[in-house]
Amino acid sequence: MSETLHVACPTCDTLNRMPRERLGQAGKCGSCGNPLFSGAPVPMDARRFAVHAERGDLPVLVDFWAAWCGPCRMMAPVFEKAAGELEPHVRLAKVDTEASPDLAARFGVQSIPTLVLVHHGREIARTSGAMPLPALLAWTRQALAAV
């Protein structure tokens, strides 16, 4: 019998059940019909974070950033490319620390950009500062080995 995962829709945040062995296949949300994997980071606030990172079964890599931050702007295209490489095994999320200071405080974010890998609401790994795509992919894959 296959293990069923709960995957949150990046469009409407509905939790969808998906067999683990179908994770690499194109799935659609049972509620809104949009793809479950878009290959792009998902903007999140506290409500969306609760669905994706706490109730969903996929690990979530969160980029804590702010619009005024130069290194954050440098990191944005790298993070965007990483989404295409890491999905469907990881959901990539962006949290604007100015719009969601509660989430930044919850994770003790003191500098940005900060990347936090979360699984079932629990922090698995963290790193700060901008990095090139190969380093980001290697760091994420190494941290996922602990999940």
Side-chain angles (χ1 to χ4, degrees), residues 14 33-34 44-45 58 63 94-95 106 135 138 141:
T14 299
N34 286 312
M44 290 194 189
D45 56 15
L58 294 180
D63 175 15
K94 294 191 67 76
V95 173
R106 173 179 165 187
R141 289 177 176 138

Side-chain angles (χ1 to χ4, degrees), residues 20-45:
R20 182 178 291 280
E21 65 270 7
R22 290 194 49 225
L23 195 56
Q25 300 171 8
K28 293 190 179 218
C29 177
S31 181
C32 72
N34 286 312
L36 290 177
F37 300 102
S38 62
V42 178
M44 290 194 189
D45 56 15

Side-chain angles (χ1 to χ4, degrees), residues 61-98:
L61 179 58
V62 184
D63 175 15
F64 288 96
W65 70 283
W68 52 263
C69 169
C72 297
R73 289 193 307 271
M74 273 183 8
M75 185 70 183
V78 172
F79 199 71
E80 183 86 23
K81 287 179 187 168
E85 297 276 335
L86 295 170
E87 278 192 354
H89 303 287
V90 181
R91 172 78 68 209
L92 276 74
K94 294 191 67 76
V95 173
D96 182 346
T97 57
E98 299 289 308

Side-chain angles (χ1 to χ4, degrees), residues 38-143:
S38 62
V42 178
M44 290 194 189
D45 56 15
R47 181 194 60 77
R48 295 191 86 194
F49 181 87
V51 175
H52 289 263
E54 295 170 7
R55 295 178 49 214
D57 290 324
L58 294 180
V60 178
L61 179 58
V62 184
D63 175 15
F64 288 96
W65 70 283
W68 52 263
C69 169
C72 297
R73 289 193 307 271
M74 273 183 8
M75 185 70 183
V78 172
F79 199 71
E80 183 86 23
K81 287 179 187 168
E85 297 276 335
L86 295 170
E87 278 192 354
H89 303 287
V90 181
R91 172 78 68 209
L92 276 74
K94 294 191 67 76
V95 173
D96 182 346
T97 57
E98 299 289 308
S100 296
D102 52 336
L103 273 176
R106 173 179 165 187
F107 285 93
V109 173
Q110 296 181 350
S111 65
I112 53 175
T114 291
L115 303 178
V116 179
L117 184 62
V118 179
H119 192 237
H120 292 139
R122 188 174 62 87
E123 182 177 325
I124 303 300
R126 165 189 303 245
T127 188
S128 292
M131 65 179 76
L133 182 61
L136 173 59
L137 296 175
W139 176 83
T140 305
R141 289 177 176 138
Q142 181 181 6

